[in-house]
Amino acid sequence: MTDPIRVAVTGAAGNIGYALIFRIANGDLFGPDQPVILQLLEIPPAMDALEGVAMELEDCAFPLLTQTVLTDEPDVAFASANWALLVGARPRAAGMERKDLLSANGPIFVSQGRAINDNVADDARIVVVGNPANTNCLIAMRNAPDVPAERFTAMTRLDHNRAQSQLAQKTGRPLHAVTNVTIWGNHSATQYPDAFHAQIDGQPAPAVVGDDSWIKETFIPTVQKRGAEVIAARGASSAASAANACINHVQSWHAGAAEGDWVSMGVPSTGEYHSPTGVIFSYPVTIRDGVYRIVQGLELNDFDREKIAATGAELLAERAAIADSLP
Ligand code: NAD
Ligand code: LMR
């Protein structure tokens, strides 16, 4: 029998957690032959709710779920974890930007970064979902100096999926016809959802859309502000679509992105495409054998460069605001 993969999930009793862990237990991350162990972390007041979730996991009788660990201790949750999905954090309310959560959520990623450093498996890969995801990821990464920096990623896959979906709807083409979409920068309202380098049925997306003003004035702000729009409509932030994007992020990183296509991931920046260094910046990446590579050689025009500069400046400001949390 194949050894189980250990998946730590923080905030497992929350809304995203509830939409996520049943899919992991069902085999959605690693396929129908790969057993998993779930290591679920919550804060003490949510442990009763977590016990209830664990009862439901048992009642699903998932054949691939070999063990479920419930804990309020990060050292236990991350012990020998092969994957750490850092979801547990406060969501924003209507009228807030995600960066307004930094003072409430940043400290979580200091202590969890340290626990990751001391406990995870040698091959561990980390995905930060809790907002503001890029800067929380930076905090966790810098507090885990013994884990290679490239193992830390922030989730911008929800924005990527939103962009793909908007383009498919606009052009009346199926989703799989829309490829090479990119989210540049921060998971925030300054992100740059890039349709100009995307393709539809293998053709440049702008030519198929045939309306650059729609791309600039409707598509970009729709994707940038979609999270707030969901909060206004639902009275709670996106949960099922966020869990789905987290599944997609791990699937891509584990099994690779489709040939010729790429996906968006927030990864440690080293200055590509005039992005600032030393932040977690979302780029187009290809993935092979579990290793992502930033797509090279895309030509940027003034519009692209201006958008990338704006989102980069916001990430630098977020980093400055939490400088005390970065050893
Ligand atoms: P939620 O409030 O429903 O659940 C959060 C859970 O985290 C709660 O159960 C809480 O007890 C737990 N928690 C809080 N502090 C913790 C800690 N230190 N350790 C472990 N668990 C802890 O919120 P949600 O809707 O599940 O959203 C979770 C986070 O994900 C929010 O910050 C939200 O803004 C973010 N989010 C990100 C994206 C993205 O695309 N990156 C998308 C949607 C939501
Ligand atoms: C989203 O994009 O839906 C999440 O980041 C939640 C939010 O605060 O917008």
Side-chain angles (χ1 to χ4, degrees), residues 279-301:
V279 297
I280 303 292
F281 199 92
S282 179
Y283 301 99
V285 300
T286 54
I287 300 162
R288 182 167 293 182
D289 300 328
V291 177
Y292 62 77
R293 288 199 173 73
I294 297 169
V295 173
Q296 300 294 313
L298 296 177
E299 280 185 22
L300 302 184
N301 62 23

Side-chain angles (χ1 to χ4, degrees), residues 170-257:
K170 172 71 176 171
T171 56
R173 302 300 302 142
L175 273 165
H176 64 77
V178 182
T179 61
N180 305 90
V181 165
T182 305
I183 303 299
W184 299 92
N186 200 2
H187 174 62
S188 76
T190 67
Q191 68 177 265
Y192 173 33
D194 176 3
F196 291 110
H197 295 90
Q199 298 190 3
I200 300 177
D201 294 312
Q203 303 301 311
V208 181
V209 171
D211 185 356
D212 280 9
S213 64
W214 177 84
I215 293 177
K216 289 181 177 171
E217 287 153 31
T218 303
F219 166 79
I220 292 175
T222 298
V223 177
Q224 286 174 327
K225 295 181 194 149
R226 186 68 159 191
E229 207 185 340
V230 171
I231 291 170
R234 244 171 61 82
S237 68
S238 61
S241 58
N244 181 65
C246 183
I247 299 265
N248 293 160
H249 181 117
V250 175
Q251 285 170 330
S252 297
W253 199 356
H254 174 72

Side-chain angles (χ1 to χ4, degrees), residues 10-17 41-43 46 86-92 98 101 105 108 111-112 128-133 136 155-159 162 187 234 237-239 242 245:
T10 73
N15 284 306
I16 296 175
L41 180 68
E42 261 297 349
I43 50 175
L86 308 189
V87 177
R90 254 172 60 183
R92 65 174 163 158
R98 297 177 185 94
L101 294 166
N105 288 343
I108 297 173
S111 56
Q112 292 186 1
V128 177
V129 175
N131 276 321
N136 288 337
M155 186 176 94
T156 53
R157 186 59 169 269
L158 178 54
D159 313 287
R162 287 167 172 163
H187 174 62
R234 244 171 61 82
S237 68
S238 61

